[in-house]
Amino acid sequence: MENFVPVQPSLINAYKDFPVFIIHPDTGSLVRFLPRSGAYSDTAIRRLLENGIKVFVTLLNEHEHREKFEQSLLLSLAGPFDEQKAAIVRDFTLMLVHESLTRQELADESQDGFSDNLLKLQELAEYYVALLDLDSGEDILRLMHRVMSKDLTTATHSVNVMILTLRYLEKERKEGRSEWLQCVTPSEDRSTTSAAERYALKQWALSALLHDIGKVMVPDQILKARRRLSSLEYSTMKMHVEHGWRIINRAVPQFSSQRVIVRGILDHHERMDGTGYPLQLTDVSLPGQVIGILDCYEALTTDKRPYRSAASPSDALRILKEDTLSAKFQPDVYMKLVRLVADA
């Protein structure tokens, strides 16, 4: 099973052109699952869901057919947001969580690490589902639908930054540090420490997930450019920060009172030496510092960035170390990232 990635049943038609496997309900073994008439029917998908049958593709096939999958996914997302598209957005996001942890599992040769990552996978998936249990769950899916329809690279990056943020905070929590809790707008339910922590984790997760929401307003020829941007184009790209604040303030006004969400969106490109944007702050909020450095790390290590290849984790940390030594990032935040990567 270690070479297979779980696929959400609602996304299965995006994989119809290459081998799909299910766990046979009687034998428990993997078997090929073939579409009829070129596609999986709504009835077949419903039966998978009703019977809890798990669907998988191999990592190799997933890589080979990623472009085709993304084209199919974009077609399924086209048009106004509705209940069906909400399910696709939710399941695609969960699939990204599964992919991230599956790759970590393959990189970890120890059985203990494998078990730990399975636990992390379950926790991260539960965190995301918990976000959708909020009163604003539909608003979150609607916003992510806009991002996915605009640019799947940005959507994937946003989910990956959310995963890194949750892992970062989980490590903080387990090691007894509470600074991340103190910057959260208090919830009405503060009856227990665990309730306060769950509420705080949701706010941080939302901040990371939505930190680049303003990119839906950036023209495609700039957002998807496969070259270095001109000075004017880069200025336009930087406006995604203000765009993000306006989108949140208009589409989900209740979020505009949540300090972690607001500061994560507005401050994730600010730097401690005043060289960031949009306001060249030197007193950068904790959400801005944490999401900012995790945003950089994910961008450096991904293989879907314009004009350069992905950096290895060690090379990315070396680059961020140089930025930290030049006072762009707090040394303490950088060292926590180093330990997080070491534990992955």
Side-chain angles (χ1 to χ4, degrees):
M1 292 295 293
E2 66 180 13
N3 291 318
F4 291 84
V5 174
V7 174
Q8 300 299 318
S10 69
L11 302 176
I12 194 171
N13 270 314
Y15 290 95
K16 61 184 174 57
D17 294 323
F18 56 98
V20 171
F21 301 82
I22 63 172
I23 294 186
H24 195 284
D26 296 328
T27 65
S29 59
L30 278 175
V31 295
R32 281 286 301 275
F33 184 52
L34 299 172
R36 294 182 179 178
S37 303
Y40 298 98
S41 67
D42 292 340
T43 300
I45 294 171
R46 186 169 60 253
R47 286 175 179 168
L48 291 173
L49 291 166
E50 290 173 350
N51 294 294
I53 297 174
K54 296 181 179 179
V55 183
F56 296 87
V57 296
T58 68
L59 282 176
L60 177 62
N61 284 327
E62 194 276 335
H63 284 309
E64 288 178 345
H65 297 271
R66 188 68 180 198
E67 184 175 351
K68 188 178 292 185
F69 162 76
E70 292 185 353
Q71 291 171 351
S72 178
L73 181 65
L74 287 171
L75 284 175
S76 67
L77 290 170
F81 180 81
D82 56 24
E83 186 175 343
Q84 181 181 17
K85 292 182 179 63
I88 293 172
V89 170
R90 176 185 180 277
D91 288 348
F92 178 64
T93 309
L94 283 171
M95 187 189 76
L96 293 175
V97 173
H98 281 263
E99 283 186 356
S100 175
L101 272 294
T102 299
R103 288 181 172 83
Q104 286 186 40
E105 290 163 11
L106 292 177
D108 192 336
E109 296 180 354
S110 72
Q111 185 62 38
D112 289 341
F114 184 81
S115 299
D116 288 345
N117 279 330
L118 284 177
L119 180 60
K120 290 177 184 176
L121 170 60
Q122 181 180 356
E123 290 174 347
L124 289 171
E126 288 174 356
Y127 282 142
Y128 181 67
V129 172
L131 296 182
L132 305 182
D133 288 338
L134 300 171
D135 292 339
S136 52
E138 183 177 333
D139 294 321
I140 298 167
L141 291 173
R142 190 183 298 274
L143 289 171
M144 288 306 295
H145 174 252
R146 289 183 64 181
V147 179
M148 289 180 187
S149 300
K150 173 77 171 181
D151 181 39
L152 284 176
T153 297
T154 299
T156 302
H157 166 74
S158 298
V159 173
N160 287 340
V161 173
M162 179 188 73
I163 293 168
L164 285 169
T165 300
L166 287 170
R167 290 180 52 223
Y168 181 101
L169 296 177
E170 188 65 11
K171 193 170 182 61
E172 290 285 276
R173 186 187 68 79
K174 288 181 177 178
E175 295 179 359
R177 289 186 286 269
S178 61
E179 186 181 7
W180 63 279
L181 276 169
Q182 297 166 7
C183 61
V184 175
T185 304
S187 67
E188 295 180 4
D189 181 10
R190 287 175 287 178
S191 55
T192 65
T193 300
S194 61
E197 288 181 345
R198 285 196 301 272
Y199 179 83
L201 285 168
K202 289 178 181 179
Q203 297 306 313
W204 277 88
L206 283 171
S207 183
L209 184 66
L210 301 175
H211 77 283
D212 270 345
I213 185 67
K215 287 185 177 178
V216 300
M217 302 299 295
V218 177
D220 282 355
Q221 64 268 27
I222 295 176
L223 182 63
K224 301 177 183 180
R226 308 300 299 176
R227 52 174 173 75
R228 289 190 178 275
L229 300 178
S230 68
S231 296
L232 180 59
E233 288 173 328
Y234 186 52
S235 295
T236 300
M237 175 68 85
K238 290 195 293 186
M239 290 178 65
H240 78 272
V241 174
E242 292 98 323
H243 289 319
W245 161 245
R246 284 193 287 270
I247 289 170
I248 292 298
N249 199 38
R250 182 175 62 252
V252 201
Q254 62 268 34
F255 287 176
S256 63
S257 64
Q258 301 296 333
R259 183 171 181 269
V260 168
I261 297 176
V262 172
R263 300 297 4 142
I265 292 172
L266 289 177
D267 297 353
H268 70 278
H269 282 295
E270 299 288 0
R271 298 293 179 259
M272 303 296 291
D273 63 350
T275 61
Y277 64 87
L279 298 178
Q280 294 80 51
L281 300 177
T282 54
D283 183 17
V284 183
S285 65
L286 184 62
Q289 293 181 46
V290 172
I291 294 174
I293 200 168
L294 297 179
D295 173 52
C296 287
Y297 177 79
E298 200 286 330
L300 286 168
T301 54
T302 189
D303 62 357
K304 298 193 70 174
R305 289 284 147 177
Y307 61 77
R308 63 163 173 76
S309 301
S312 67
S314 58
D315 285 342
L317 289 176
R318 178 183 53 76
I319 293 169
L320 293 174
K321 181 179 180 179
E322 293 173 358
D323 285 342
T324 301
L325 291 174
S326 63
K328 294 183 187 300
F329 297 112
Q330 285 278 17
D332 184 50
V333 175
Y334 169 74
M335 287 308 302
K336 289 175 181 177
L337 172 60
V338 172
R339 291 194 292 271
L340 181 68
V341 174
D343 289 345

